[in-house]
Amino acid sequence: MVRPTLRSGKRKYRKTVSGKITIYRPRKVAGHPKCAECKKPLTGVAKGVRSQVRKMKKSERKPSRVFGGNLCSPCTRRRIIVATRS
Ligand SMILES: [Zn+2]
Protein backbone atom coordinates (compact mmCIF):
# COMPACT_ATOMS: atom_id res chain seq x y z
CA MET A 1 0.00 0.00 0.00
CA VAL A 2 1.12 3.53 -0.72
CA ARG A 3 2.07 6.12 1.88
CA PRO A 4 -0.92 7.54 3.84
CA THR A 5 -0.33 10.97 2.34
CA LEU A 6 -0.77 9.57 -1.15
CA ARG A 7 -4.06 7.81 -0.38
CA SER A 8 -6.15 10.94 -0.95
CA GLY A 9 -6.43 13.21 -3.94
CA LYS A 10 -7.11 12.73 -7.61
CA ARG A 11 -5.73 9.80 -9.52
CA LYS A 12 -5.32 9.34 -13.22
CA TYR A 13 -4.16 6.26 -15.05
CA ARG A 14 -1.47 6.92 -17.61
CA LYS A 15 0.16 4.61 -20.06
CA THR A 16 3.93 4.82 -20.14
CA VAL A 17 6.08 4.51 -23.24
CA SER A 18 6.71 0.86 -22.47
CA GLY A 19 2.95 0.18 -22.33
CA LYS A 20 2.76 -0.18 -18.55
CA ILE A 21 -0.20 1.52 -16.87
CA THR A 22 0.79 3.65 -13.87
CA ILE A 23 -1.09 5.89 -11.44
CA TYR A 24 -0.43 9.56 -12.04
CA ARG A 25 -1.35 12.03 -9.31
CA PRO A 26 -1.95 15.50 -10.72
CA ARG A 27 -0.93 18.47 -8.58
CA LYS A 28 -3.64 20.26 -6.64
CA VAL A 29 -5.03 23.30 -8.40
CA ALA A 30 -5.73 26.16 -6.03
CA GLY A 31 -8.92 28.15 -6.35
CA HIS A 32 -8.93 31.92 -6.02
CA PRO A 33 -9.79 33.20 -2.50
CA LYS A 34 -13.22 34.85 -2.41
CA CYS A 35 -14.94 37.45 -0.22
CA ALA A 36 -17.05 35.88 2.56
CA GLU A 37 -19.99 38.23 1.89
CA CYS A 38 -20.21 39.05 -1.82
CA LYS A 39 -18.22 36.04 -3.14
CA LYS A 40 -16.09 38.21 -5.43
CA PRO A 41 -12.43 37.18 -5.89
CA LEU A 42 -10.19 38.95 -3.39
CA THR A 43 -7.40 41.19 -4.65
CA GLY A 44 -3.99 41.33 -3.00
CA VAL A 45 -4.39 37.82 -1.61
CA ALA A 46 -1.95 35.08 -2.58
CA LYS A 47 -3.37 32.30 -4.70
CA GLY A 48 -1.88 28.86 -4.44
CA VAL A 49 -1.67 25.62 -2.54
CA ARG A 50 -1.14 26.15 1.20
CA SER A 51 2.44 24.87 1.11
CA GLN A 52 3.32 27.39 -1.62
CA VAL A 53 1.59 30.28 0.17
CA ARG A 54 3.49 29.54 3.40
CA LYS A 55 6.79 30.04 1.57
CA MET A 56 5.82 33.60 0.54
CA LYS A 57 6.57 36.71 2.54
CA LYS A 58 3.97 37.60 5.16
CA SER A 59 3.18 40.85 3.35
CA GLU A 60 2.56 38.96 0.09
CA ARG A 61 0.01 36.57 1.62
CA LYS A 62 -2.85 38.91 2.50
CA PRO A 63 -3.59 42.57 3.29
CA SER A 64 -2.71 43.53 6.88
CA ARG A 65 -5.93 45.44 7.58
CA VAL A 66 -8.96 44.18 9.54
CA PHE A 67 -10.72 41.31 7.72
CA GLY A 68 -7.73 41.17 5.34
CA GLY A 69 -7.92 37.95 3.32
CA ASN A 70 -11.54 37.40 4.40
CA LEU A 71 -13.60 40.33 3.10
CA CYS A 72 -13.10 42.62 0.10
CA SER A 73 -12.51 46.33 0.67
CA PRO A 74 -16.13 47.55 0.03
CA CYS A 75 -17.52 44.89 2.40
CA THR A 76 -14.90 45.78 5.05
CA ARG A 77 -15.79 49.47 4.71
CA ARG A 78 -19.49 48.69 5.10
CA ARG A 79 -18.86 46.61 8.24
CA ILE A 80 -16.71 49.28 9.84
CA ILE A 81 -19.34 51.98 9.14
CA VAL A 82 -22.09 49.81 10.69
CA ALA A 83 -19.95 49.01 13.75
CA THR A 84 -18.90 52.61 14.43
CA ARG A 85 -22.35 54.15 13.85
CA SER A 86 -23.81 53.13 17.22
ZN1 LIG B 1 -17.16 41.57 -0.56
Side-chain angles (χ1 to χ4, degrees):
M1 191 173 260
V2 292
R3 280 179 289 165
T5 51
L6 292 175
R7 282 182 210 157
S8 62
K10 280 182 187 173
R11 286 178 212 188
K12 279 182 179 179
Y13 293 91
R14 286 264 173 100
K15 209 174 204 180
T16 59
V17 185
S18 60
K20 194 179 164 188
I21 292 167
T22 56
I23 296 170
Y24 160 73
R25 292 168 187 278
R27 289 192 169 200
K28 280 183 182 176
V29 180
H32 206 285
K34 290 182 184 79
C35 173
E37 272 187 20
C38 64
K39 311 296 178 196
K40 280 180 187 168
L42 291 174
T43 54
V45 179
K47 183 197 166 195
V49 180
R50 196 179 168 84
S51 60
Q52 291 172 335
V53 174
R54 295 317 299 178
K55 285 174 191 168
M56 292 176 184
K57 287 175 191 169
K58 198 172 184 179
S59 60
E60 289 172 347
R61 289 180 209 155
K62 59 187 179 179
S64 56
R65 60 163 187 260
V66 280
F67 301 116
N70 189 29
L71 295 174
C72 68
S73 67
C75 292
T76 307
R77 197 167 297 166
R78 223 177 294 129
R79 278 215 183 178
I80 292 168
I81 289 167
V82 168
T84 54
R85 199 174 278 167
S86 56

